[in-house]
Amino acid sequence: MHKSRLKYLSQPVVCLLFFSAVFTISCNQDKGFEKIDEAFYLNRENLTSKINPNREYAYWEYVYAMPGHMYKPIEVLFSHGDSTLKSNYKIKMPESGFFSECMPAYCYSYIIFISNNKLNYVVNESQLQAFINRVDNIEEALLLAKIKGLWFDPENKDAGSYKKTAEGFELKLGRFESCPVTSEAMKVKIDTLGNFKSESRGIYFSSSECILE
């Protein structure tokens, strides 16, 4: 009887120790993460100004295109190099680009760069990733995550934080669906060579509603 009662009383203690260990491991894994600054990183100019391309170009610029806008169809968010070189080329706004947004008005981004006396365009996500190449800072890491369809949730640190590591960056981001509205927490690792790994940490918000972008 005494041994049986002792065994019964020990079960909650074992459970408590188990959950304490899990909580400790979880805290250790999350140690050092910094909340992503919404005011800074939602500004596309702040992100694009930190792009450090795979090589030095005579000139390059990041352009935000709004074809349906009557007065300002394009906006140069950032440029680097000798802008006078542009006058040597006939520059056309491409019909599509990367980061398609603001439907149904249809906005997108693209990059033009001058290399070896030739005008070049970056108009899709794979070309953007090649243009960035090595990941040197958190801004480039966020752009690479955006290429992969991930972004941060400014209201949830478990889907909106990062830390610098010896290999590159670790980020807690979100995968968002608009119909139905779903938010999935993702753990992401990006090394300096641009290698990308992600794993789901589960759905943390869902709704039967749909948002038309």
Side-chain angles (χ1 to χ4, degrees), residues 30-107:
D30 294 343
K31 187 177 180 180
F33 278 84
E34 178 182 345
K35 189 176 186 299
I36 295 173
D37 186 342
E38 175 186 10
F40 184 84
Y41 291 111
L42 284 183
N43 186 326
R44 188 69 58 84
E45 293 180 48
N46 292 335
L47 289 175
T48 57
S49 66
K50 297 296 184 180
I51 293 177
N52 186 20
N54 56 351
R55 51 167 292 186
E56 186 67 30
Y57 296 110
Y59 178 78
W60 69 271
E61 65 183 30
Y62 185 109
V63 185
Y64 186 65
M66 301 161 283
H69 198 289
M70 183 180 299
Y71 302 106
K72 199 174 185 180
I74 64 169
E75 180 180 3
V76 177
L77 298 186
F78 179 76
S79 64
H80 179 78
D82 185 1
S83 61
T84 63
L85 295 174
K86 292 173 62 177
S87 61
N88 298 327
Y89 304 91
K90 185 177 181 179
I91 301 175
K92 296 182 179 181
M93 181 175 67
E95 295 181 357
S96 62
F98 52 87
F99 300 157
S100 297
E101 298 164 310
C102 62
M103 301 298 286
Y106 188 46
C107 308

Side-chain angles (χ1 to χ4, degrees), residues 97-167:
F98 52 87
F99 300 157
S100 297
E101 298 164 310
C102 62
M103 301 298 286
Y106 188 46
C107 308
Y108 53 89
S109 299
Y110 64 91
I111 290 173
I112 62 169
F113 65 94
I114 298 172
S115 177
N116 297 324
N117 298 317
K118 183 179 179 181
L119 182 68
N120 303 271
Y121 291 83
V122 174
V123 296
N124 58 48
E125 281 79 2
S126 62
Q127 290 175 348
L128 175 61
Q129 185 169 355
F131 185 81
I132 293 174
N133 195 20
R134 183 180 175 88
V135 178
D136 303 299
N137 50 59
I138 183 58
E139 289 83 3
E140 289 184 334
L142 284 172
L143 286 171
L144 182 56
K146 187 171 177 63
I147 289 172
K148 303 296 185 179
L150 306 179
W151 196 236
F152 68 90
D153 185 342
E155 298 180 357
N156 189 337
K157 190 174 181 180
D158 284 335
S161 57
Y162 76 96
K163 71 175 178 180
K164 182 77 174 69
T165 67
E167 295 78 24

